[in-house]
Amino acid sequence: MCPATTEKEAKKEKVRIKVAGEIFVTFKSTLERFPETLLGDERSRTKYFNKEQQVYIFNRNRVFFEWVLHYYQSNGDLYIPKTMPVEIIERELLFFGIIKGGGTTSKRTSPQSDEPTRSGEQSTSPPPPDLTIKEKLFTIVTVPYSSILSNIWALVDVALILTSIIAFTTETEPKFQALLNNPNHGHLLWVMFYIDAICVVFFTVDLVIKFACWPNRIDFFKQLLTGAI
């Protein structure tokens, strides 16, 4: 990812971008079609470059990034997914510098619209394909705030993590152990059993979905070992 020595080499130089665990590859010259954006400005995107992995890493919305990349590859056509909240769209477009403040520049579309335009003309470029079930599941469990379901999943995840921590610490308390061993409080054993069972089932399902839907299996295990999942 070092600067190319010649103009010809620069056109062929590829850029690897990792977004939420998935690797995207495109040409450097493609990104530099729009030098005023984050990805188009080499100096701006350098701070996101990981030298060990030789990749630019962004902790952003992976699903919408496909449309961000399509914006560069189609030379300015921006398709907006109908199912994604406007707040997410505007936040991602602002982050990558595709829109500035509340407005857009030439060859761009409004975040409210799902129809592409270029200088006032209708584009003939085909839109990116709809998300598969696998991609939708991946988004729900890995991209909070991308939809109502992802919000619910993230909230349940956090709630069960806190519940499991509280349950574990409570079970180690001598006074609570005495209550569990007391025949008159046998219902507490069932309460703790159900809490543990619900937490184990949810975390297992969450892990299985991530493993099944993760774009790269090797990267999945790397993220798992580092505690990023």
Side-chain angles (χ1 to χ4, degrees), residues 17 31 97 101 129 149 166 177 183 194 208:
I17 305 170
L31 299 179
L149 284 177
I166 294 172
Q177 288 181 349
Y194 284 123
V208 169

Side-chain angles (χ1 to χ4, degrees), residues 80-163:
I80 303 300
K82 297 179 180 179
T83 58
M84 187 163 291
V86 175
E87 293 78 9
I88 302 294
I89 295 171
E90 291 181 344
R91 184 168 67 233
E92 295 302 304
L93 293 179
L94 283 169
F95 175 81
F96 287 105
I98 295 178
I99 63 174
K100 308 293 183 182
T104 61
T105 60
S106 60
K107 298 186 179 181
R108 293 173 187 166
T109 61
S110 168
Q112 312 288 343
S113 172
D114 58 6
E115 294 296 331
T117 58
R118 184 190 301 161
S119 301
E121 298 180 359
Q122 183 71 23
S123 170
T124 58
S125 300
D130 293 334
L131 296 179
T132 63
I133 295 178
K134 182 178 178 181
E135 290 174 327
K136 290 179 180 178
L137 286 174
F138 180 82
T139 304
I140 290 173
V141 299
T142 61
V143 188
Y145 310 114
S146 63
S147 66
I148 295 177
L149 284 177
S150 66
N151 280 335
I152 295 174
W153 191 272
L155 289 173
V156 172
D157 187 29
V158 172
L160 289 182
I161 289 175
L162 293 175
T163 302

